Amino acid sequence: MAALTATAPARPRKLLASRKTRVGILYALPVVVYLLVLFVYPIFSTLFLSLKNADGSLTLHWYADALTGVNLSVLFTTLRISAETALLSLLFGFVLANAISRLKPLWAGLAMLIVVVPHFISALVRTYGWMILLGDKGLVNETFTGLSVPRAPFQLLYNELGVVIGTTSMMLPYTVLLLYGVMRGVDRRLLAAASSMGAGRVTIFRRIYLGRGRGSRRR
């Protein structure tokens, strides 16, 4: 035990004595300083500012104000929209990723390109695009009106529904990319075997996709 204790402090010194380690630390130092100055310091400065009163004394009343009245309502609305966005992103992302994973590599690459490329378009351009599509005279409402859907045109903008549609469209590429990587690694013969034994789509999803994720975490 004493020998282990004596050799433990020697390991860091031995590592630092290596020229390769010192060069690596030297190369990483500018990045570390950059992250500390532009990310870590502003975050902790803002956090400390939220604990200061107008006279400079420490206080928690800003947090108390944030959890009462209108601020609390805004917080719950934000959390509700976030939950709705996450749920819709998972739903549509699973359907898209599952469909793309069944395609041949060439067509799967083209499909992923279609999913990912809109993400690199300016957010302002995408916002105007959604306004054109979802407006009272937009393509969606004109289609509903042409099909004689009751109560068309619908109010799809400047409300919570419009916000959820916009945020879901922004999060969907991330969801598809994550799920596609997992689904592409699943042996298709395993899915065919489960289907031939009478497993439904929900069971296949729960036992293969979700079960595979839990198994990898245990390993």
Side-chain angles (χ1 to χ4, degrees):
M1 186 68 182
L4 292 176
T5 306
T7 57
R11 289 180 181 177
R13 289 197 296 268
K14 186 176 180 181
L15 289 175
L16 290 176
S18 172
R19 183 176 181 276
K20 186 176 180 180
T21 302
R22 293 199 303 269
V23 171
I25 294 175
L26 184 63
Y27 284 155
L29 189 60
V31 178
V32 173
V33 173
Y34 173 83
L35 292 175
L36 288 175
V37 173
L38 295 183
F39 288 94
V40 178
Y41 175 73
I43 291 173
F44 279 97
S45 297
T46 305
L47 179 63
F48 183 70
L49 187 63
S50 67
L51 298 174
K52 294 181 64 176
N53 207 344
D55 57 359
S57 59
L58 295 179
T59 181
L60 292 175
H61 85 271
W62 301 118
Y63 291 94
D65 292 343
L67 297 176
T68 55
V70 178
N71 294 325
L72 184 61
S73 176
V74 171
L75 177 62
F76 280 128
T77 301
T78 303
L79 294 176
R80 184 177 66 250
I81 292 175
S82 301
E84 293 168 353
T85 301
L87 182 62
L88 290 175
S89 297
L90 283 175
L91 178 63
F92 290 113
F94 173 76
V95 174
L96 280 173
N98 187 40
I100 295 173
S101 65
R102 295 174 181 270
L103 298 175
K104 294 181 179 180
L106 177 61
W107 296 108
L110 292 175
M112 288 299 297
L113 193 65
I114 294 174
V115 171
V116 173
V117 164
H119 178 70
F120 295 98
I121 300 175
S122 171
L124 182 62
V125 175
R126 280 184 289 168
T127 301
Y128 275 110
W130 281 115
M131 292 175 66
I132 294 172
L133 287 174
L134 303 178
D136 292 338
K137 299 296 183 180
L139 178 62
V140 175
N141 275 319
E142 287 292 330
T143 302
F144 286 152
T145 304
L147 295 175
S148 300
V149 176
R151 298 186 178 181
F154 301 103
Q155 181 66 34
L156 301 176
L157 289 178
Y158 311 112
N159 53 19
E160 185 172 323
L161 177 60
V163 173
V164 171
I165 292 174
T167 52
T168 302
S169 69
M170 294 181 65
M171 295 294 106
L172 192 58
Y174 296 106
T175 310
V176 174
L177 284 172
L178 291 173
L179 294 178
Y180 175 76
V182 175
M183 292 179 176
R184 197 68 179 179
V186 174
D187 192 346
R188 310 306 303 181
R189 295 174 296 180
L190 184 61
L191 302 178
S195 179
S196 65
M197 295 180 68
R201 294 184 177 181
V202 176
T203 303
I204 291 175
F205 172 75
R206 180 172 55 86
R207 298 296 297 273
I208 295 179
Y209 290 123
L210 291 183
R212 183 174 182 267
R214 288 196 296 268
S216 62
R217 284 196 296 270
R218 284 196 295 270
R219 287 193 298 269

